[in-house]
Amino acid sequence: MSNPSILILPGDGIGPEVMDEVRKIIGWFDENRGLKFDLSEGLVGGAAYDKYGTPLHDDTMVEAQQVDAVLLGAVGGPKYDDLDFSVKPERGLLRLRKEMDLFANLRPAQCFDALADFSSLKKDIVAGLDIMIVRELTSGSYFGEPRGIFEEDGERVGINTQRYTESEIDRVARSAFELARKRDSRLCSVEKANVMESGILWREVVTKIGAEDYPDVELSHMYADNCAMQLVRAPKQFDVIVTDNLFGDILSDCAAMLTGSLGMLPSASLGVPMANGRPKAMYEPVHGSAPDIAGQGKANPIACILSFAMALRYSFDQGAEATRLETAIETVLASGARTGDLLGPEGGTPISTGEMGDAIVRALGESLR
Ligand code: NAD
């Protein structure tokens, strides 16, 4: 049987720098845990535009559809700000998500003990926090028609449409129920059924699936505005949250920031299962290409490394190895090692991107002793 395949798309700015550290981690698992992957590389974003005049070459798109997982760094940068919208680096990313039909976006918000002081909230509110937000990614108000800016009664009107079909709600809800089953078996579905018909349908569909197929998962419902309040008031009440594209965009950023730096936040985007049973999948850090620190060895590679941990867990069924990697990161942070973004107001001496990767590899080695 062939090895599972990963397409690596480092992208722009700090993308290639943090991806170098992920390669070290992949190498460690290959040498020490017998986890073999067939790796291939491609260009995306500005890097692809520079070479091909498009932010994603068709051949790269075809390959992304065939591999078991795509690992992406980040795209974009000031050099590309004046490009036509159709060839901007971000279009490459959106094309991947759209054509791979990655409808479930998983954004964990986990507070590492060593960084609990880093949150803008009090330590006891965030210490031990471990929640997962599942955001619908391919429908809702970012895609619904009609959309545009039109003339009406002598003035312009901007229109976007919140639109969800039953099947779109069904598939993302099932992903969230499955995930909840693997965690603490609690799912909170978030919409605004009090003022939106799409929210009423959302609640009906999720309730029906829960009752029929996931009676073991404790299901609750919450309005999106209340959820935003609860996330900053008492975030540990949640296990898994499932919500639509627009609310998910906002709530996942809010939840993520409870835990500190952008440099710590991974994500996974999953689609329908392929013939081998694995879901189509793309893993990427939440942060962008950070042009202000690119090329200086200052980037924190942990978000990208944690994205690989998610790939181990959700694409390759290697939950124990994913936990090993997360524990190694916790150990390194507990030892006091910090990239610049993780230094608090009291300061300290930052380590480089490469040094952080090396420290995590060493901690992985120690996990075998
Ligand atoms: P950004 O996430 O790139 O940076 C925001 C701030 O966080 C910067 O000060 C940066 O130095 C810091 N930061 C981000 N990641 C870090 C890391 N790993 N380690 C240390 N510090 C880190 O967001 P931005 O500045 O708004 O956008 C820069 C470019 O990235 C833009 O072109 C934007 O379109 C693009 N972008 C891409 C993605 C993506 O590829 N998924 C996401 C967001 C933004």
Side-chain angles (χ1 to χ4, degrees), residues 131-204:
I131 63 182
M132 176 75 82
I133 298 200
V134 181
R135 165 190 171 193
E136 200 290 327
L137 202 59
T138 52
S139 187
S141 24
Y142 294 166
F143 294 95
E145 297 285 346
R147 63 181 296 168
I149 299 175
F150 305 98
E151 274 299 312
E152 211 177 271
D153 298 331
E155 64 173 343
R156 291 187 305 156
V157 49
I159 297 180
N160 291 91
T161 302
Q162 166 82 336
R163 181 179 188 279
Y164 270 105
T165 63
E166 281 184 282
S167 55
E168 286 168 341
I169 302 168
D170 184 286
R171 65 184 189 171
V172 73
R174 283 183 194 280
S175 296
F177 274 113
E178 291 291 335
L179 206 61
R181 248 185 196 163
K182 292 187 187 142
R183 294 169 49 99
D184 198 31
S185 287
R186 290 182 295 119
L187 177 64
C188 180
S189 172
V190 172
E191 25 61 11
K192 277 188 69 86
N194 49 343
V195 286
M196 296 172 76
E197 284 74 9
S198 57
I200 295 174
L201 183 67
W202 182 284
R203 188 175 285 218
E204 275 177 25

Side-chain angles (χ1 to χ4, degrees), residues 266-330:
S267 79
S269 301
L270 306 180
V272 292
M274 299 181 284
N276 61 12
R278 295 192 176 107
K280 285 207 172 166
M282 180 157 76
Y283 299 88
E284 53 181 318
V286 168
H287 63 71
S289 58
D292 53 335
I293 57 166
Q296 301 170 39
K298 290 182 178 170
N300 182 351
I302 293 179
C304 203
I305 293 172
L306 285 172
S307 301
F308 175 64
M310 291 184 85
L312 287 174
R313 183 171 285 122
Y314 298 117
S315 282
F316 304 121
D317 220 11
Q318 294 287 344
E321 299 302 332
T323 303
R324 179 190 300 281
L325 179 50
E326 288 157 355
T327 307
I329 291 170
E330 177 90 65

Side-chain angles (χ1 to χ4, degrees), residues 230-286:
Q230 297 301 330
L231 276 173
V232 289
R233 193 188 69 84
K236 283 190 262 187
Q237 69 184 282
F238 298 107
D239 178 23
V240 179
I241 292 174
V242 62
T243 188
D244 73 17
N245 202 342
L246 174 60
F247 295 143
D249 192 2
I250 298 163
L251 294 174
S252 61
D253 267 20
C254 172
M257 273 299 101
L258 300 175
T259 68
S261 168
L262 260 177
M264 294 293 299
L265 302 170
S267 79
S269 301
L270 306 180
V272 292
M274 299 181 284
N276 61 12
R278 295 192 176 107
K280 285 207 172 166
M282 180 157 76
Y283 299 88
E284 53 181 318
V286 168

